[in-house]
Amino acid sequence: MPRHPIDPESLGPLEADLAVLPGGLGSIPDIVERRARAKTLPGAAEVVDDPRVTKEDRTVPGPSGEPDVRVRIYRPVAASGALPGVYVIHGGGMIMGEVDGEDPVATMLCVELTAVVVSVEYRLAPEHPYPAGPEDCYAGLVWTAAHADELGIDPARLAVYGGSAGGGLAIATALMARDRSGPGLRLLMALYPMVDDRNETPSSRDVTDVGAWDRSTNVEAWGWYLGGREADAYAAPSRATDLGGLPPTYIDVGTVDLFLDEDVELAQRLLQAGVPTELHVLPGSYHASERRAPEAALSRRIWALRVGALRRALA
């Protein structure tokens, strides 16, 4: 059982999902069925159309010798000139997720920040284990930066953004950009990032039956993602021995999230490495609670903190 109580306003939508699917998505052993069922739960995100935003899907070059990568580009209709860019990496534990699921968030960021948003769809495990995911994400970032003029992006104002698995992949992508002399980043925003394959922290042992993203599901996902390989810094950023030289970083995580301890530890190490780091620990928030319960006061606070940080970084 988790040590901290769940925010009461955020609990209802989680209970509604669990009423439809007791045990949560992790109770479905077949990954193809699990992905399909995720789209039918009450809190599942839907593709939205906003008259203030244009959307375009493209296929861009993937890693050398590998398949092309799909991206979705969001542009504010009323804006002109070079705009800030936000490169979005979806979540899903490295085993689920797609750009459609990130559509509401990408649209919101496009409107709220008056920014061009590029959302990437990377290959998933277990069909495509590490390093397919981070290499796809990095290839999409390289393409975005190389086509900044065409996309209407100011290359000096580019952020990478991701939650959960997408947060871990955002950090891995930033590490690759540092190590490969790749695109410069104004901000790395990693929301409750999935960063440690070892599952040894107290919070990773405590959160076993919340129903959002629990220990057994996390252990299973890491096993599928690594596919028998030993984790390195790009697979599990907690294993990085050198975090220096990363862009300014924003991390948030809830007290009822199994990633709590690994994320706090990573933020401390970033600070010790000289990386300007903003960390928010959110009492009562379970994994991705702000997406399940968007009307809760806690969720509104979470989104305000994130959008504010992005605005400051991209100004």
Side-chain angles (χ1 to χ4, degrees):
M1 291 289 292
R3 290 164 287 173
H4 302 278
I6 293 175
D7 169 60
E9 280 190 291
S10 303
L11 181 58
L14 174 62
E15 291 179 330
D17 278 355
L18 294 177
V20 174
L21 184 60
L25 287 168
S27 65
I28 301 174
D30 182 76
I31 187 59
V32 175
E33 181 184 352
R34 191 183 307 184
R35 291 169 186 157
R37 192 65 185 275
K39 300 177 183 179
T40 68
L41 292 175
E46 297 180 2
V47 175
V48 296
D49 290 316
D50 188 313
R52 298 169 293 178
V53 175
T54 64
K55 294 188 289 190
E56 176 190 5
D57 283 2
R58 287 200 199 179
T59 301
V60 306
S64 177
E66 298 293 337
D68 290 343
V69 174
R70 177 191 178 202
V71 298
R72 181 170 293 167
I73 304 157
Y74 303 75
R75 297 183 183 89
V77 170
S80 60
L83 303 176
V86 182
Y87 184 72
V88 170
I89 304 175
H90 68 75
M94 316 290 188
I95 59 175
M96 299 192 299
E98 56 191 351
V99 294
D100 284 357
E102 212 66 19
D103 199 82
V105 170
T107 299
M108 180 274 290
L109 293 175
C110 180
V111 171
E112 291 292 328
L113 301 171
T114 314
V116 177
V117 175
V118 179
S119 182
V120 63
E121 187 157 302
Y122 51 90
R123 288 171 290 170
L124 300 173
E127 298 91 337
H128 303 284
Y130 176 77
E135 291 291 352
D136 285 356
C137 292
Y138 181 68
L141 176 68
V142 169
W143 178 87
T144 299
H147 292 77
D149 286 347
E150 174 195 348
L151 296 171
I153 292 174
D154 176 357
R157 292 189 292 158
L158 181 60
V160 63
Y161 169 107
S164 191
L169 288 167
I171 299 168
T173 300
L175 285 166
M176 289 179 173
R178 180 199 67 182
D179 297 343
R180 301 175 184 180
S181 300
L185 296 170
R186 186 72 70 88
L187 182 70
L188 164 58
M189 181 166 280
L191 317 172
Y192 33 79
M194 180 179 176
V195 295
D196 194 343
D197 64 296
R198 291 164 290 198
N199 294 284
E200 294 174 350
T201 67
S203 63
S204 76
R205 296 185 183 280
D206 288 345
V207 179
T208 59
D209 58 357
V210 171
W213 185 262
D214 294 335
R215 178 178 177 84
S216 61
T217 309
N218 195 53
V219 170
E220 175 188 61
W222 274 112
W224 280 345
Y225 176 54
L226 292 174
R229 295 185 59 156
E230 193 72 25
D232 60 15
Y234 299 152
S238 284
R239 291 185 176 269
T241 57
D242 177 15
L243 294 170
L246 286 177
T249 299
Y250 176 104
I251 293 174
D252 69 33
V253 64
T255 56
V256 199
D257 193 319
L258 85 166
F259 296 147
L260 171 63
D261 293 331
E262 65 195 62
D263 291 349
V264 170
E265 179 185 9
L266 184 67
Q268 290 173 326
R269 292 182 56 216
L270 285 162
L271 288 166
Q272 291 162 2
V275 177
T277 302
E278 181 175 349
L279 170 67
H280 293 275
V281 176
L282 301 151
S285 178
Y286 53 84
H287 193 71
S289 67
E290 82 288 355
R291 301 185 68 147
R292 267 197 169 100
E295 300 305 317
L298 173 60
S299 301
R300 293 195 297 270
R301 176 173 170 243
I302 290 169
W303 284 118
L305 288 167
R306 294 171 182 171
V307 172
L310 283 162
R311 281 202 185 109
R312 291 190 299 274
L314 298 174

